[in-house]
Amino acid sequence: QVQLLESGGGSVQAGGSLRLSCAASGDTSRVNVMGWFRQAPGKEREGVAAIYTTGGVTYYGDSVKDRFTISRDNANAKNTVYLQMNSLKPEDTAMYYCAASHQLVVTLLPIDFGYWGQGTQVTVSS
């Protein structure tokens, strides 16, 4: 089992920045991809960004390209993934979830991710 714990959400005005963190623990040896998803009320869960934990290949959703950056810290087995969010917009408001996958390719399909965190709320006001 893999446990994921997100942190860093909050409220910010449009144009501001936030950084989310996700710490993975448990049996992480088979985790190849970690990602961030978001879900706003009444909307489907949307893939935001994903990263291959070794090598660092990344993949972004179209709505966040050039504004969000995903990175990972594998030093000292920390297994932590970050999401730096810049130039935030009100439409970025959502619950943000960290997820982990055993898949060998980087995807943003929720079905490919078997482990999920509890989520952290991001609210962007205009």
Side-chain angles (χ1 to χ4, degrees), residues 6-119:
E6 304 102 333
S7 61
S11 297
V12 66
Q13 289 192 328
S17 299
L18 283 173
R19 189 175 85 151
L20 306 183
S21 300
C22 173
S25 60
D27 185 12
T28 61
S29 61
R30 294 173 57 219
V31 171
N32 295 312
V33 179
M34 293 186 70
W36 288 96
F37 294 78
R38 66 186 183 187
Q39 190 166 18
K43 294 189 177 181
E44 292 186 356
R45 190 163 293 192
E46 174 190 10
V48 175
I51 187 167
Y52 207 83
T53 55
T54 55
V57 173
T58 58
Y59 186 31
Y60 294 93
D62 289 340
S63 62
V64 305
K65 282 180 182 176
D66 301 323
R67 297 189 299 123
F68 291 10
T69 302
I70 188 170
S71 60
R72 90 276 191 221
D73 179 5
N74 291 339
N76 300 318
K78 289 184 179 179
N79 295 320
T80 300
V81 173
Y82 305 96
L83 184 69
Q84 178 67 42
M85 304 185 295
N86 298 328
S87 302
L88 283 161
K89 305 175 181 180
E91 50 263 44
D92 294 318
T93 295
M95 184 71 78
Y96 282 71
Y97 297 91
C98 178
S101 167
H102 294 161
Q103 294 286 338
L104 296 176
V105 292
V106 181
T107 79
L108 284 176
L109 297 174
I111 196 172
D112 288 336
F113 291 78
Y115 304 98
W116 294 84
Q118 293 298 309

